[in-house]
Every structure is written in structure tokens, then in C-alpha cells.
Amino acid sequence: MSEHDLEKLLGGFAADTLTPEEKQQLYSAALQDQELFNSLADEQALKELLADPVVRRRLLQSVQKTRPTTDRGLSPSLNWFRHPAGLAWVGGLAAAIFAVVLGTTLYQESLRQADRSVAIEEESAKIAPTPAPSEPRPASPAIGESRLKAQANRKLADAPGNEVLVAKKAKQETELTAESNEEPATTYPESDVSQGRSQSTPRTFTQSNEDAPDSADQNRGSAPSTSALVPAPANEPAATALTGQVGSALSARSLFYGDTAEFTSELMTGEQDRRHPAQQFERFEQKKRLSRAGQPESLTGASKPLGIRYSLATYGMEGPHDDRNTTASIQADSTDLMIEANQDGFFQVWGDDAALQPHILFPLTEQDPISSRLTAYQLRRIPVLAVYRTITIRFSRMPFGTLSSKDLVEMNRSPLGQLQESSTSMRASGSQELAIYVVNKDPSVGILVVRIPIHQP
Amino acid sequence: MERDRILATLRERILAFATSRVSRDHAEDLTQDVLTVLHDKYPTVRELTELVPLAFQVLRYKMLDAHRKALRRGEYNQESIEELPLADTSHDPVTQLDQKQRVDRLLTAMAQLGERCRDLFRWKLEGRSFPEIQKLMNQTSINTIYTWDLRCRKQLLTVMGDSWE
């Protein structure tokens, strides 16, 4: 044993268990090696402690009784668990089990998500073409064949004397549809969205006369509640709150915004509805059907009925304008005429009072052309003095020429084939706006004349 | 080895050890005191295996005695000697308390050792020699026992704070 290895005998020195040979070797080495001597000197304290029989007995009892802390609770078969390799193996196994469990959970969750999506699609496919039970709306049927039926109804209604017949037919079809769909619309959250959108479009069809009554007369409880396909006007105030619904299959408002605009509405709302693949699919199928049926998809064109939407912003108005009474007039000190058309065209504004013959109010000066261009769905504001008894708006697809006597007669004559509908909406500022839609049912008619009575203060 | 030669070698080792613990003057006084005791009180002890452990024992006593004297003289805390109680040589409660604390620390430390170390200490406390422990542990080489014992001792010393005191 080398001198360095003699350090291993220090444990025996303290316990005084060295053999005589070991003692000889250790002490001889200690006399030669100062470090070993110092270690022995330090070990003397323990040797002195262990030399006491009482202390020795206590230590012995302690060692025999207690189990080592590191072994506590582990059986000898689990001793491998204390080694780093065992711990690493167990850790790896635990990580693998965790990964498997996590992967399985994610996979099951994805399967459940897929099942849920399929279920939602199936439900949406069932619901999407279904109108609300209380809503007769053949003028703007939501999807598919009822929409085609509405188109047919409109064609029938265009023929003179067919309005009553068309209204009856459409009513029968709507009743059949309502009977076959008893499910309330509130059952499915998806229908809520379309319901909110559809409220901006009247869809009753009982009115087919030229001067539709005020929407306030209609039953508000039967407000339409379905079909996201019915568009709201692009420039309609966001806070629109329709106070009346005109129950006509050929309502002026629906004709004003036109069927083809539904595609525009879909394009606008498609981004919002990407979360509803079932609805997107349904709309795609509907477009295909309409394309096969030869429906026009252009927004503007000669086949679209000519229509304007106007409103009057009055100052000093004493009471609300009642459009139900056609003899009623607007009482104002000054007026702004807001006008927009459903297609590109040209317009004039004429004024008439008791003293003078009808004369042009807009365009204002002689340098201007005799007619002003009006872009589709672009609002124009025309200030009008409150001295006129009547304001007349002329709107045409073609520019106006010099006014002839025939034109004057035409302005004073009651227009034929024109539908009129009014609706009250809330502006973003909180004020009310009474908008009036005037549409000529005959798409071939190229000019629209609207007379607006103004009350003299 | 002759007794005088052993004592001469011991003097060098004791002086070097004491110098590493106390000042040089105290270390020389300490070494002289140890050799005086060995010379005066144990003149018959001549064997190396008896004289060297006896020297370690005397050295430890002398160091503890010097420590207590320094404490009494106020070399550590500079307290007035009049305020200190008179020493009772028959009963040393300080030594007894020190021993009790060391035993408790040792018990606590040994409880934290592994099974092999505990077995080793148990057999050593039972008075087993390393060759006997070798047989008990079924080891072919006694060096294995030496190595295990050294590791266990270092582990125990570490748990106790690198000191047996």
C-alpha cells in the first residue's frame, strides 16, 4: 500500500479497528507525511468520541434502527431508481407516455371538431333555404326555387292587371313554405345574423298599387327574419331601423336595390361568413342555379327597373312628415333634397309655385348642362328653397334635351307603373330620415318623374 | 524505531500541525507541553503504534486546554475575568455540552448516509476490522473496502460540515 493509499486507513483509526499491521503502516507513514499526520490529528476528535462506550452504543443503535433517508420508501427491487441511468430511463418513459397521451387527446379533439363541423353544415343546409314561419316574402325568396318563383311572379306582375293574381299566387306559395317550416328561426344562431341583415329589406307583397302605404301601417311583429341574400344598400346608414314594412312582392325598395345586388351583398358579406362553410356552399350552389336559369348578374343594365331613393332634410319642420297621406306635404322653411339612383343616369330637379310655371332648379346655372349625371347608389344633396309648392325630380338613363311641351305635360301627369315606398331610418347622428323609394316596374321605361309636394309655411 | 527518534519526529509533526492552527509562539509552547507529558508521564511507552496515538491524544487535550485558557483570558471576547465563574475541574459542562452536540450532529449525519456506508460504520462500531468487513461484504479485495470506507468517511465529514468538532 502506498503512502497515499494509507489515507484509506483513517476510517479504521477513528473506530480503532485497525489491525496491528495497519497501525504500523499508518503511524509510520504519518511520521513521514505531514498531511497524513494532520489528518490523523483531526481524526482524533472522532476517535475520542467513538472511544466513549455510551456514544458508541447510541450510534450503533441509530445505525441499526433507522433506514437511510435516500432509501426510505423504496424496496430493494427499486434501488435502480436511484441511479442516474434509471432516472433518465424513467424520465424518458414518462415523457413518451405524456406525448402519446397528448397526441391522442389532440387527435380525438380534432375528430370531435370535425364531427361538429359536419353537424353544423348539415343543420345549416337544412335551415338556410327556410324562411321564418311568420314571414311571407316571395318577393325576395331566400334560396333556390322560391327565388325563381319570385322572379316569375315579378314577370307576371309586370303585365297590366296581373298584380292581384300574382299576389295571390305568391301568398299561397309562402303559406305552403311557412307550413313546411315550423322550426323557429331562433333555434339556430346562424339565422340570427341573417335575420338582422334582412330587416333592412321589406318583403311583403300585398301591396301592388302605385302608391304604397306608409310602412308604419304594417304589422311590425311580422318582420322578415331570414335570408342573408337580401342586400342592404351599400350606403345605408349602419344604424338603420326600419319602422315600416311594405308588404308587396314588388316593393319599391326591393326593386330599387334590385335582385342582382344580392350578389354584391354576398360578396360584401362573404368575408364575414367564412366561418360558415355551409352557408357559403349553399350560396355557391344558389349562384350556379341562378346562372343556369339565365339570371343577370350585372349590377346595372337596361333590364333593371329605373328607381330613385330620395329624402328631404327639412329645417323648421313642425311635425313628422306623413307619407301615408299623399295630400300631406312637408312643412319647412328650407329643404335639402337627398337623392340617389339605382343605376347610372341623369337627373333634373324642377320647382313649381303658384306664381310661376315649372322651372328648373338643378342644374343651377346656364353654363351647366341641362341635366346632371347621377352615379348609381351615390347620394347627391340638392338645396331647395322652401318657396315651392311642388318639387319634381326627373331621372333618365339618357341625358335630357331641351324641355318640350310634351315634357311639361308629362311632368304634370300622374306617373304610371311607378311603385313608391317609404321607410324611416336612423342616421348615425341619431336623427330620423324618411326615405322614399320610387321605382318604375317596367324595366323598359327610361325616365322616371317624381313629384314631391312641399307645404308652404 | 527508538523512542527518542520517534519523539523527535513527533515534535516536528506536532509543531507543524499546531502552527497551522495557532500562532507560532503558542504552537511551540503547545508542542513542548505535549512532549513534556509524554516524557514525564508515559516514559514506558515505547512502541510506535502506542506512542503516536498517545501523542495525538495528548496534543488534542493540550489544544483544548489552550483554547479554554484563551477563552478565560478574554483573548476572544475581551470580557473581564471577574465576571467569569470559577472553573470546576471535576465537572466540565462545556465539554459535556460540546460532546453532546457533536454526538447529535453525528447521529443526524449518519442517518443521511447510504446503506453501504451505514453497514460499514455499523461493523466498525461493532469493532470489526477491515479484513472482517471484507468478508462480510463478500469482496475479494480489501482495497475495495478501504476505498468504500474512505468515501463514506468523506461523505460523513461533508454532512457534518467538514469538521468532527
Side-chain angles (χ1 to χ4, degrees), chain B residues 61-121:
Chain B
Y61 288 153
K62 289 296 179 183
M63 289 187 74
L64 287 175
D65 190 45
H67 174 69
R68 281 192 291 265
K69 283 181 180 176
L71 193 65
R72 282 199 302 271
R73 290 169 185 161
E75 293 179 10
Y76 300 142
N77 52 16
Q78 300 294 325
E79 289 183 357
S80 173
I81 194 168
E82 284 77 14
E83 297 177 1
L84 292 174
L86 294 175
D88 185 357
T89 53
S90 60
H91 299 92
D92 189 356
V94 176
T95 305
Q96 290 177 0
L97 177 64
D98 179 65
Q99 179 175 324
K100 181 180 182 303
Q101 289 177 343
R102 280 192 292 144
V103 170
D104 291 341
R105 286 171 54 217
L106 192 59
L107 287 170
T108 305
M110 290 185 75
Q112 301 179 36
L113 297 179
E115 187 177 3
R116 180 191 295 163
C117 293
R118 293 167 57 81
D119 289 340
L120 267 171
F121 277 107

Side-chain angles (χ1 to χ4, degrees), chain A residues 1 8-9 11 17 22 28 31-32 34 38 42-43 45 48 52 56 58-59 63 66 68-69, chain B residues 9 13 17 21 48 56 60 99 106-107 110-111 113 118 124-125 128-129 146-147 149 153 164-165:
Chain A
M1 184 180 289
K8 296 174 182 176
L9 297 175
T17 57
E22 289 171 340
S28 301
L31 290 178
Q32 307 302 322
Q34 185 63 49
N38 292 350
D42 288 333
E43 204 76 6
E48 179 187 333
D52 189 340
R56 201 176 183 108
R58 282 186 63 190
L59 287 174
V63 172
T66 58
T69 306
Chain B
T9 309
R13 298 293 168 229
F17 173 76
R21 297 294 192 272
L48 176 70
F56 284 131
R60 172 168 170 76
Q99 179 175 324
L106 192 59
L107 287 170
M110 290 185 75
L113 297 179
R118 293 167 57 81
K124 281 162 57 175
L125 290 171
R128 312 269 187 178
S129 64
Y146 289 146
T147 304
D149 182 70
R153 178 184 159 276
W164 302 118
E165 298 291 342

